[in-house]
Amino acid sequence: METAEIRRRFLAHFERAGHTPVPSASLLLDDPNLLFVNAGMVPFKPYFLGQETPPYDKATSVQKCVRTPDIEDVGKTTRHGTFFEMCGNFSFGDYFKERAIELAWDLVTKPQSDGGWGFDEARLYPSVYVDDPEAVALWRKITGLPDDRIARLGKSENYWSMGVPGPGGPCSEILIDRGPAYGADGDFSAEDRYLEFWNLVFMQDELSAVRSKEDFDIAGSLPKKNIDTGMGLERVAFMTQGVENMYEIDVMFPVIRMAEQLSGRRYGADPVDDVRFRVVADHVRSGMMLIGDGVTPGNEARGYVLRRLLRRAVRSMRLLGYEDPALPELMPVSRDKMGETYTDLHTDWDRISRVAFAEEEAFRKTLQAGTHIFDLAAGQVKQAGGTRLAGDQAFALHDTYGFPIDLTLEMASEAGLSVDEEGFRALMGEQRQRAKDDARSKKGQHADTGVYRGILDGHGPTEWLAYETLETESRVLAVLAGGVGVPVLREGEVGEVVLDRTPFYAESGGQVADAGRLVADGALLEVLDVQRPVRGLVVHQVRVLEGELVQDATLHARVDPAWRTGARQAHSGTHVVHAALREVLGPSALQSGSYNRPGYLRLDFGWTTALDPDQVRQIEQVSNAALRADLPVGWQYMTLPEAKDWGAIALFGETYDNTKVRVVEIGGPWSRELCGGTHVDHSSQIGTIVVTGEASVGSGNRRIEAHTGIEGFDYLARERDVVGQLTTLLKTRPDDLVGRVGDLVERLRAAEKEVEKARLAQLLAGGETIAAQARQVGPVHVVAHRVDGAGGGDARTLAMDVRGRLPQGEPGVVVVIGVVDDKVAVVAATNDAARERGLSANDLVRAVGPLVGGKGGGKADVAQGGGTDASRVGEALDLVVAEVGRTAGA
């Protein structure tokens, strides 16, 4: 049975049972604790946590998921992959254990001819939580299985919790026995033998005092018992398709087949190669799906995960012996299979392929540069008589050049060297800890959301009126400082305030929060920031300017109208620039991120090449033409499928309501986007759009910056003032300014060349004198000379000139040390006769390097180094003479 058919039967089965089918959410959700959606229930968390009322009492979905903790282990086992699809059915207080078990068992065991999956009951084993006798009785009742066919497992396997106070409950899994070839009879910890493919979570308990996922107290029962199930689509696919593992199913194995053709190697012939083939199949698919949902390669967070996946796929192809560009051959194969379900892969292929292929090209350059650095490092180790590449060298290759450690290991082995892996891992661990500490600090006071959930549970959601008004009369529901409730905020203190109703826009969708004031009886507070730490609750960060604020106080909340006007102009301006961008570059130029504050906008978009000045000018012209046309700006609510059918653009990484979304349009179909921000009523109210910059922000991603409104006019005024000052200074007209400045630049460059030529001639003029002062050290003519004011280039030029002036056919060594602002440049040069006597420029530079606080190296004829200690240059020159004498036997 093909994967698409398994998916179709799952959804049809639960739809017939009254479940509302819900489309897969994006892999990117607005959850501070998750990089990606990693389970089918994630989009439904607000319902399970009681933060929102579900629009249906039961639902079913097939959710795209990505899990990243064990990327390095992908392919080494045959059970886990990075991207996978989780089939789920969910009940929000409707049915519970008995119905959940009935529905699961019916689909799994029903013959394929009747629309089921047709699993052999004799091979199926339910598992239950060891302290859940009710589940045991229900499995016996529904399936007729004997007691010894129902496995009892502990908390680590069969109790679900999120690791924080809230809902939890026992689980029940369906396992399939794959036979004695995969493990011992009755050994349910042998996952290859008894493979779990369906997990039913019976969400019935209210957890408190949670010390870990397995150590907590059960405070009582939930008022509504819920069902959350997860079924691994890929696992069912490989079991119904008669293959060994998920990598061999119909939507993944074609990539392996293509990799076989490209590499000339065969899957199944070599266990090491098999891991590489599986990495390719998984990472090509995972990378494609992430790009499809708006991720672009980068060095942080989601972008770094994508970069690792794509580069590991390319690297694995290299290890399989294929060194040409691989993704253009492999990714279309994955697109054709996954695109049968996810049609956006076809319609958005131009953007997806451009991002992926550009990343591979960048990595190929990285490999080239890293290989050169590795060769130098390996050569130094061998020259020093060592056999091991240091951990810090391997880390530098990884961290600075993006060189994977396993590629370093492979190349080191080929060079007859080992690698200090422990040192490398220690440095990697330090880097990860720094990243965790940084991420923790950035989460700030909203990292622990328990206090906010308590406020939401006690008072309900905030009445949010940012679209309707700039002012409200409000009541203070809670006052917090340092993340905990306090009775009062006093003058000068900074804290947080939760109101029953607010006109303030909370930061989201790239738009910064509103600024304004809260005025109570005898108190004045400045609003510094507005956030939604949990869905439905608006929290104001404030500074008390006068008086003090207490809970239950009544106050007047007022948004700064000038601030809101500027924010509306910038946000609507972002939509206009996005539409102009797509008009100039084409529909694949899609926004991947934005930031708006009053008078300023920043828009990131997927594109692999820099825009030329004409394109930037066109984007600005199209934008301002839209403003001049005074296009109407409107918004309306509809379901997400309706919005997509209407042509609205859903921006990457944004979270949208399951039942209704807000579509903002400017000029009708010219610009239609899903957006929750504040906007002007007509495009002319934006005032102006002045593009101030276009630059790269990572592989496959560009950024446009612009000013809007009065800030845009101010920017133009400043530009005008600069032009005016230059025309006065240069005594020319504005239209002639570029030519006049260009002429001055050319004259300046010509003058600099003449100065440089004269300086170099002066430097070399002393070469003959310096050569004539060579010391005789045994049979060797030695020049050891200091030149103040000479950098590395000058020192090298002088050393080569002096070497050429030494007696021909006789051994000669030249060492020139230049000093500029206490920075030291060392250059050594030897002639053929000196090298025949064993003298090496590389050895001389390495010998004197520590004396001047540096190091260096090179070849036997010419070598160069540097340092930071000019106080010991004299000692260094004396050491040169001593080293020559020792080596030449003088």
Side-chain angles (χ1 to χ4, degrees):
M1 193 186 309
E2 291 189 346
T3 302
E5 178 61 17
I6 298 169
R7 181 193 294 106
R8 188 198 65 76
R9 291 189 180 202
F10 181 90
L11 293 173
H13 175 75
F14 285 100
E15 191 172 3
R16 283 194 298 270
H19 294 66
T20 299
V22 178
S24 173
S26 166
L27 287 165
L28 317 180
L29 285 186
D30 187 17
D31 188 324
N33 300 308
L34 293 175
L35 275 182
F36 306 108
V37 171
N38 62 358
M41 63 81 64
V42 169
F44 301 98
K45 276 173 62 176
Y47 307 147
F48 288 126
L49 293 173
Q51 297 172 346
E52 294 183 18
T53 302
Y56 27 65
D57 55 10
K58 46 188 177 290
T60 184
S61 70
V62 179
Q63 174 62 44
K64 299 180 289 186
C65 301
V66 165
R67 291 183 184 170
T68 61
D70 303 312
I71 287 178
E72 298 288 346
D73 294 325
V74 167
K76 296 176 183 177
T77 75
T78 57
R79 296 187 305 274
H80 301 95
T82 311
F83 173 87
F84 60 97
E85 296 179 79
M86 185 68 74
C87 303
N89 59 286
F90 310 93
S91 168
F92 308 104
D94 184 80
Y95 60 84
F96 199 49
K97 290 183 184 180
E98 183 168 6
R99 183 59 174 158
I101 294 172
E102 287 175 348
L103 288 168
W105 192 254
D106 181 45
L107 177 61
V108 170
T109 59
K110 186 189 300 181
Q112 292 188 11
S113 58
D114 293 338
W117 290 341
F119 280 86
D120 181 1
E121 291 187 22
R123 298 174 58 199
L124 299 178
Y125 287 75
S127 74
V128 299
Y129 177 49
V130 66
D131 292 330
D132 189 9
E134 179 189 10
V136 175
L138 288 171
W139 276 108
R140 283 200 301 254
K141 170 188 172 183
I142 292 166
T143 67
L145 293 174
D147 195 65
D148 61 2
R149 287 278 300 282
I150 302 172
R152 279 78 162 172
L153 302 177
K155 278 185 180 178
S156 61
E157 295 91 359
N158 272 34
Y159 194 97
W160 179 85
S161 80
M162 292 188 296
V164 295
C171 302
S172 197
E173 299 174 335
I174 303 178
L175 316 175
I176 187 165
D177 182 3
R178 302 180 70 197
Y182 295 92
D185 288 349
D187 182 6
F188 293 101
S189 64
E191 291 188 26
D192 282 334
R193 170 75 189 261
Y194 297 95
L195 188 69
E196 174 261 322
F197 65 92
W198 197 313
N199 184 24
L200 299 91
V201 177
F202 306 132
M203 210 176 293
Q204 64 188 41
D205 300 327
E206 179 72 35
L207 307 185
S208 64
V210 178
R211 295 166 288 275
S212 73
K213 283 199 171 186
E214 299 176 35
D215 184 13
F216 47 78
D217 297 335
I218 297 178
S221 298
L222 291 172
K224 282 188 176 182
K225 293 181 171 61
N226 304 318
I227 289 293
D228 158 28
T229 76
M231 190 284 295
L233 180 62
E234 286 82 0
R235 289 194 177 185
V236 171
F238 86 71
M239 288 184 292
T240 58
Q241 291 175 16
V243 296
E244 282 293 307
N245 55 67
M246 63 174 285
Y247 300 98
E248 298 175 14
I249 63 176
D250 60 315
V251 295
M252 293 187 71
F253 198 67
V255 176
I256 292 179
R257 285 285 186 223
M258 177 57 73
E260 286 181 315
Q261 294 176 29
L262 296 174
S263 66
R265 302 192 189 183
R266 187 171 60 83
Y267 181 72
D270 181 338
V272 174
D273 279 353
D274 286 354
V275 172
R276 294 166 181 163
F277 278 118
R278 290 193 286 265
V279 166
V280 170
D282 174 87
H283 288 4
V284 166
R285 182 171 79 143
S286 302
M288 177 182 67
M289 299 303 291
L290 286 173
I291 297 171
D293 274 6
V295 184
T296 55
N299 292 323
E300 295 182 359
R302 292 164 173 164
Y304 183 62
V305 171
L306 173 60
R307 172 160 286 169
R308 285 185 68 199
L309 292 172
L310 295 178
R311 292 189 171 195
R312 278 173 55 85
V314 172
R315 183 178 76 250
S316 295
M317 288 300 294
R318 181 187 183 279
L319 296 176
L320 288 168
Y322 186 75
E323 298 192 4
D324 290 336
L327 294 182
E329 304 291 339
L330 297 168
M331 198 167 278
V333 177
S334 186
R335 172 205 61 197
D336 290 345
K337 296 305 297 182
M338 296 301 296
E340 294 173 4
T341 299
Y342 300 103
T343 56
D344 287 351
L345 294 174
H346 288 287
T347 57
D348 203 15
W349 180 246
D350 183 55
R351 180 189 62 84
I352 294 170
S353 60
R354 190 188 311 112
V355 171
F357 302 166
E359 179 63 19
E360 176 171 17
E361 183 58 32
F363 185 46
R364 286 167 61 80
K365 293 177 181 176
T366 292
L367 287 175
Q368 185 176 5
T371 299
H372 176 67
I373 300 300
F374 172 85
D375 290 342
L376 288 177
Q380 290 173 358
V381 171
K382 289 184 175 181
Q383 198 165 40
T387 60
R388 195 180 201 198
L389 193 70
D392 59 349
Q393 290 176 302
F395 180 75
L397 280 165
H398 168 85
D399 194 49
T400 305
Y401 299 98
F403 221 52
I405 182 60
D406 46 354
L407 191 55
T408 300
L409 291 169
E410 176 204 6
M411 294 177 63
S413 176
E414 292 171 354
L417 299 174
S418 62
V419 178
D420 176 14
E421 290 188 68
E422 290 184 5
F424 171 82
R425 304 290 177 194
L427 290 168
M428 284 294 293
E430 292 174 11
Q431 185 188 61
R432 289 193 185 102
Q433 189 58 49
R434 287 193 297 271
K436 287 180 181 178
D437 293 343
D438 182 57
R440 195 175 296 119
S441 69
K442 287 179 180 177
K443 284 184 181 179
Q445 59 196 10
H446 296 309
D448 182 4
T449 59
V451 64
Y452 306 109
R453 288 201 179 97
I455 297 170
L456 184 66
D457 291 342
H459 298 284
T462 305
E463 185 181 0
W464 189 63
L465 301 169
Y467 295 151
E468 287 81 23
T469 182
L470 296 178
E471 301 182 49
T472 60
E473 296 297 321
S474 306
R475 184 170 66 89
V476 177
L477 301 180
V479 180
L480 301 96
V484 297
V486 295
V488 62
L489 279 179
R490 295 183 172 84
E491 186 170 321
E493 292 182 339
V494 174
E496 293 178 307
V497 176
V498 180
L499 305 175
D500 63 340
R501 61 206 308 255
T502 182
F504 283 85
Y505 183 83
E507 180 181 0
S508 66
Q511 181 176 331
V512 299
D514 278 334
R517 301 291 177 95
L518 304 180
V519 182
D521 185 18
L524 176 64
L525 297 88
E526 176 187 11
V527 176
L528 306 175
D529 192 16
V530 188
Q531 297 288 334
R532 283 191 174 93
V534 295
R535 193 175 296 183
L537 193 72
V538 177
V539 177
H540 310 73
Q541 186 187 54
V542 299
R543 177 187 289 113
V544 183
L545 302 179
E546 299 174 10
E548 59 184 33
L549 186 73
V550 298
Q551 187 167 326
D552 290 325
T554 299
L555 54 77
H556 185 76
R558 183 175 187 269
V559 175
D560 181 340
W563 180 279
R564 173 67 73 81
T565 296
R568 293 168 67 206
Q569 289 174 323
H571 203 150
S572 296
T574 302
H575 285 226
V576 168
V577 171
H578 189 202
L581 190 74
R582 289 164 54 79
E583 183 172 321
V584 173
L585 300 182
S588 63
L590 284 172
Q591 178 180 326
S592 58
S594 68
Y595 172 77
N596 312 289
R597 67 168 186 262
Y600 170 84
L601 68 87
R602 185 180 73 207
L603 185 149
D604 296 344
F605 60 101
W607 204 254
T608 56
T609 57
L611 305 189
D612 61 48
D614 284 341
Q615 289 174 313
V616 175
R617 187 160 47 251
Q618 286 179 55
I619 292 166
E620 188 178 65
Q621 289 173 343
V622 171
S623 298
N624 283 294
L627 272 55
R628 183 177 181 181
D630 196 26
L631 301 174
V633 179
W635 45 86
Q636 55 183 297
Y637 292 91
M638 60 189 70
T639 66
L640 184 58
E642 287 172 342
K644 290 184 176 180
D645 289 342
W646 205 38
I649 299 173
L651 300 185
F652 298 129
E654 291 296 310
T655 304
Y656 301 107
D657 191 279
N658 286 323
T659 55
K660 61 180 180 179
V661 294
R662 182 173 182 253
V663 179
V664 175
E665 65 172 8
I666 301 176
W670 185 70
S671 170
R672 281 179 178 153
E673 297 186 17
L674 275 63
C675 179
T678 61
H679 289 273
V680 298
D681 297 315
H682 289 269
S683 62
S684 61
Q685 294 171 344
I686 297 170
T688 188
I689 292 176
V690 182
V691 176
T692 59
E694 188 275 339
S696 170
V697 286
S699 178
N701 220 21
R702 308 292 301 179
R703 171 173 293 169
I704 281 183
E705 295 179 277
H707 286 301
T708 59
I710 194 68
E711 286 81 0
F713 289 111
D714 287 345
Y715 179 88
L716 293 175
R718 291 193 299 272
E719 295 281 292
R720 179 194 60 198
D721 291 345
V722 170
V723 171
Q725 293 171 33
L726 287 174
T727 54
T728 300
L729 184 65
L730 298 177
K731 295 181 174 59
T732 187
R733 295 166 53 83
D735 291 346
D736 300 329
L737 186 59
V738 174
R740 182 83 170 96
V741 171
D743 180 58
L744 285 174
V745 169
E746 286 301 317
R747 289 165 59 186
L748 180 60
R749 286 174 180 166
E752 288 175 343
K753 288 180 181 178
E754 289 300 319
V755 170
E756 175 65 18
K757 189 183 299 183
R759 191 189 63 79
L760 188 58
Q762 185 179 17
L763 176 69
L764 297 179
E768 186 173 354
T769 301
I770 295 170
Q773 295 173 353
R775 298 176 59 177
Q776 195 72 30
V777 181
V780 184
H781 299 277
V782 180
V783 173
H785 187 73
R786 170 176 175 152
V787 182
D788 289 316
D794 289 341
R796 186 182 184 94
T797 299
L798 183 58
M800 302 298 286
D801 179 71
V802 173
R803 183 181 67 175
R805 295 176 184 274
L806 295 178
Q808 298 297 311
E810 298 180 23
V813 171
V814 179
V815 175
V816 174
I817 299 182
V819 180
V820 179
D821 297 331
D822 291 329
K823 292 183 180 179
V824 179
V826 181
V827 178
T830 62
N831 61 18
D832 292 342
R835 292 193 295 277
E836 290 173 2
R837 287 184 169 271
L839 291 162
S840 167
N842 179 62
D843 292 343
L844 291 171
V845 170
R846 291 171 67 87
V848 304
L851 281 179
V852 295
K855 57 184 178 179
K859 297 181 180 179
D861 60 338
V862 182
Q864 188 167 340
T868 57
D869 187 0
S871 67
R872 303 186 70 185
V873 169
E875 294 178 61
L877 294 173
D878 291 340
L879 179 60
V880 169
V881 177
E883 284 292 310
V884 171
R886 183 182 61 79
T887 304

